[in-house]
Amino acid sequence: MQHGRATGKRPSAPTPMQIYEPLPRLLVVHIALPSWADICPTLCEALQNFFSLACSLMGPSRMSLFSLYIVRNQHECILPFVQVKGNFARLQACISELRMLQREGCFRPQDASLQLAVQDGLQQFKQHSRHLTKSAALTCTSLEITVLTSHPGKEVVKQLEEGLKDTDLVRVRRLQVVEVTKEILQHMDSASPVEESGSDESPILGTDIDLQTIDNDVLSMEVFFKAWLHNSGTDQEHVHLLLPSRCFNSVTRARDNPMCLKCDLQERLLSPSLLPGTADGSLRMDDPKGDFSTLYQMASQTSVSRYKLQVIKALKSSGVCESLTYGLPFILRPTSCWQLDWDELETNQQHFHALCHSLLKREWLLLANGEPLILGHSQRAPATAFYVIMPSGSLTLLVKAVATRELMLPSAFPLLPEEPPGDSLKVVESLLDGLEVEPTYNPLQVRSHLYSHLSSTFAPLQGRLHPSWGSRALGKQPSKAGQLHTHRARATVAPLPMTPATRRAPKTPAASKASSEAFILSSEEEEDHSGP
């Protein structure tokens, strides 16, 4: 993600496809012994769970291309760039190969191996996108690179800064180093990755190197990978929240003009209707119940104006019936749009912080109106939709749609009698007394076995691609790096001549032929050539 002060005239706003187009992602696993023995099973389980979900989601794709490199003695491409959707079997074969990597002994890593993996992956992406752009199958030209390492994160950042200073990283949207720590997560409700301060960002490359740490447990890694399903575009802000100054003089000194808080919008939950086998299984690409929320849909209707929410009233939190809110909740955050000036970004965040603090202190909610949830093709003035904005203990606001008079159905609410019959009261109270009482509900502690269910839906496909993986996983782990190349997925372009030929693992004729190919084969063609 490229930050900097916006100078000169602001470029034209991107089209909706540019705003919400999922980024291709390159994951570089930086292996170090003996910590790899502890990290490997955790990482593999987290990747298995994540891809079982990502490959199952219907609607527009949230994740386009994915590639995986490992860095040991040398850099190796375990998985060239493939489409995530419809490729669970191939992704699972890649995870199986990760599980079989050497966990004991010693490596003699070369200092340049990590930077060479990044450079080689970038070259693979350029070649891939060049080919697919000709066939009008790919329009995204940016790549996000994540380096997962157990080495000290700051040392890895410095190593990348020095090694990549002469590399053209214009195509890299974001370069991120994630250090896996040995501490086990103590509180399940604080599973979000901890981001380091901005002092570790690289001013040399023109692209910031973000440093982040995560704990070595499955939940923390799942949370990190699920962030890839978010809309992470920073070309423009998503929502403008307009506050009338006469109602919030404590937040702003403006007397006449309303305050405009520029926000980014994020989903809080995935809609169950996106999963296969649900009642609503006939989702279309443009279905507002589909991949993106209705607010996302509205925000992407135009490339010029942002979706506007006009605050019209303050509500007492105790006076709003939760049954009148509907739909999945969404989160407002202070925007991280790179096109805004740094001073404007900081002021916007400070005002957003003040609003969250003031709402919590007063125990208020905000009622706002905006454009409707459903847009028809009529030329008439659209109906108005209303939203309730709720504060939280974090620097976020929760947004949910609220019912209007036109949508309300009649309901009878008889008054509750003061005292129920004594016999019934004793029976019910004895049953309630036997229940275990939890002070809070934490969904991160609830297991629904969804991952295993989704993985089982792909079971018929797993036998078609790499049929020998199962027997290979049960056998003895290979001790030589060269033995791992037997069923290796083929690279899409010839690898960079990074290291002397004497240090490379011997190539088989099939691997030599694969590395000379310059174009991407279809999944069926790769299936035919990668078998034993």
Side-chain angles (χ1 to χ4, degrees):
M1 184 166 55
Q2 200 165 2
H3 293 293
R5 292 182 179 272
T7 58
K9 185 178 179 181
R10 172 180 292 187
S12 59
T15 63
M17 282 303 294
Q18 290 174 322
I19 298 173
Y20 300 110
E21 188 172 25
L23 287 176
R25 298 185 183 274
L26 169 64
L27 178 62
V28 180
V29 180
H30 193 203
I31 295 177
L33 295 178
S35 57
W36 176 242
D38 298 325
I39 295 175
C40 177
T42 304
L43 174 63
C44 291
E45 183 178 351
L47 285 173
Q48 175 89 9
N49 293 342
F50 168 72
F51 283 118
S52 70
L53 182 64
C55 294
S56 302
L57 294 175
M58 296 184 288
S61 176
R62 293 168 177 260
M63 199 175 167
S64 55
L65 301 173
F66 177 75
S67 178
L68 178 63
Y69 275 71
I70 60 170
V71 177
R72 303 186 294 170
N73 295 2
Q74 300 175 2
H75 66 283
E76 300 178 67
C77 179
I78 298 295
L79 181 72
F81 281 100
V82 296
Q83 292 284 346
V84 171
K85 220 169 189 180
N87 263 323
F88 180 77
R90 188 167 182 184
L91 291 165
Q92 189 177 47
C94 168
I95 296 170
S96 298
E97 185 158 352
L98 269 182
R99 286 193 175 100
M100 293 185 294
L101 291 178
Q102 177 182 349
R103 302 188 191 184
E104 297 179 355
C106 62
F107 294 156
R108 296 179 180 176
Q110 303 174 17
D111 293 338
S113 295
L114 181 57
Q115 73 188 54
L116 298 182
V118 173
Q119 292 171 337
D120 191 64
L122 183 58
Q123 176 179 315
Q124 293 277 343
F125 171 69
K126 289 178 180 178
Q127 181 67 27
H128 195 144
S129 59
R130 188 181 302 118
H131 168 64
L132 292 185
T133 300
K134 292 179 181 178
S135 61
L138 181 69
T139 58
C140 186
T141 58
S142 298
L143 173 69
E144 180 163 318
I145 301 176
T146 300
V147 177
L148 191 73
T149 181
S150 59
H151 293 272
K154 294 183 179 180
E155 294 181 7
V156 175
V157 169
K158 292 178 181 178
Q159 181 180 345
L160 287 173
E161 288 177 2
E162 181 63 27
L164 299 176
K165 62 183 179 181
D166 297 325
T167 303
D168 181 12
L169 298 178
V170 175
R171 304 286 290 274
V172 179
R173 172 67 67 89
R174 186 185 188 195
L175 180 57
Q176 183 181 35
V177 174
V178 179
E179 179 186 352
V180 181
T181 60
K182 296 180 180 180
E183 291 79 6
I184 301 299
L185 196 66
Q186 297 296 326
H187 301 286
M188 300 288 282
D189 56 353
S190 60
S192 298
V194 179
E195 191 165 337
E196 296 287 342
S197 63
S199 60
D200 296 314
E201 295 175 350
S202 167
I204 301 175
L205 302 175
T207 297
D208 296 336
I209 298 182
D210 298 331
L211 177 58
Q212 198 168 324
T213 60
I214 58 175
D215 294 311
N216 184 27
D217 65 273
V218 176
L219 178 58
S220 296
M221 289 192 180
E222 280 181 14
V223 170
F224 172 77
F225 292 130
K226 282 181 182 177
W228 292 354
L229 301 179
H230 273 307
N231 166 30
S232 55
T234 58
D235 291 328
Q236 71 173 28
E237 61 274 18
H238 303 158
V239 175
H240 285 180
L241 183 61
L242 304 177
L243 299 170
S245 57
R246 64 180 182 275
C247 296
F248 293 95
N249 289 329
S250 59
V251 178
T252 176
R253 296 180 181 178
R255 298 287 182 179
D256 302 323
N257 298 325
M259 172 186 287
C260 176
L261 295 180
K262 298 179 179 180
C263 310
D264 292 335
L265 192 70
Q266 281 189 350
E267 289 170 290
R268 184 64 182 92
L269 297 171
L270 288 170
S271 172
S273 64
L274 297 175
L275 298 176
T278 54
D280 187 11
S282 58
L283 290 172
R284 305 187 313 274
M285 294 292 286
D286 59 344
D287 195 331
K289 295 178 292 182
D291 193 299
F292 298 117
S293 73
T294 50
L295 283 178
Y296 272 131
Q297 289 262 328
M298 295 305 306
S300 64
Q301 290 294 327
T302 172
S303 62
V304 179
S305 61
R306 284 34 165 199
Y307 187 72
K308 293 180 174 61
L309 288 177
Q310 174 69 58
V311 174
I312 55 178
K313 286 183 181 180
L315 308 173
K316 281 288 187 181
S317 58
S318 59
V320 177
C321 179
E322 293 185 5
S323 65
L324 299 183
T325 62
Y326 63 94
L328 297 176
F330 297 90
I331 293 174
L332 287 180
R333 300 178 182 272
T335 186
S336 57
C337 175
W338 66 269
Q339 298 193 55
L340 299 180
D341 185 86
W342 280 112
D343 293 335
E344 184 179 0
L345 279 174
E346 184 178 2
T347 302
N348 184 76
Q349 184 168 21
Q350 290 173 353
H351 287 166
F352 192 96
H353 182 194
L355 175 62
C356 294
H357 178 79
S358 298
L359 292 178
L360 280 175
K361 181 179 179 181
R362 297 168 183 246
E363 296 183 350
W364 280 8
L365 310 179
L366 298 180
L367 181 65
N369 62 7
E371 298 185 40
L373 291 173
I374 302 175
L375 273 183
H377 298 286
S378 173
Q379 298 297 323
R380 297 179 181 179
T384 302
F386 292 88
Y387 305 90
V388 62
I389 301 172
M390 297 169 274
S392 66
S394 60
L395 192 64
T396 59
L397 295 172
L398 201 63
V399 182
K400 289 197 71 175
V402 292
T404 59
R405 184 181 67 180
E406 294 87 346
L407 298 179
M408 291 292 296
L409 295 175
S411 299
F413 301 99
L415 296 177
L416 183 68
E418 292 186 1
E419 290 292 338
D423 294 340
S424 298
L425 182 62
K426 290 180 180 179
V427 171
V428 173
E429 285 187 342
S430 64
L431 294 175
L432 295 178
D433 289 339
L435 295 177
E436 180 182 357
V437 179
E438 290 285 349
T440 58
Y441 173 76
N442 187 348
L444 296 177
Q445 295 177 331
V446 179
R447 292 182 177 272
S448 64
H449 306 290
L450 177 62
Y451 294 134
S452 58
H453 169 73
L454 294 176
S455 297
S456 66
T457 62
F458 295 103
L461 300 176
Q462 295 171 12
R464 295 175 51 199
L465 187 62
H466 302 295
S468 63
W469 279 115
S471 59
R472 184 180 172 199
L474 295 175
K476 184 178 179 181
Q477 293 185 358
S479 58
K480 295 182 181 179
Q483 294 176 330
L484 289 175
H485 292 274
T486 305
H487 298 281
R488 178 67 48 81
R490 291 188 296 176
T492 61
V493 299
L496 292 174
M498 296 294 186
T499 56
T502 55
R503 295 187 179 183
R504 290 197 173 193
K507 287 187 177 181
T508 62
S512 300
K513 180 182 177 182
S515 64
S516 64
E517 294 182 1
F519 297 102
I520 306 302
L521 300 178
S522 64
S523 298
E524 291 78 13
E525 291 172 333
E526 290 170 344
E527 234 176 81
D528 296 338
H529 289 81
S530 60

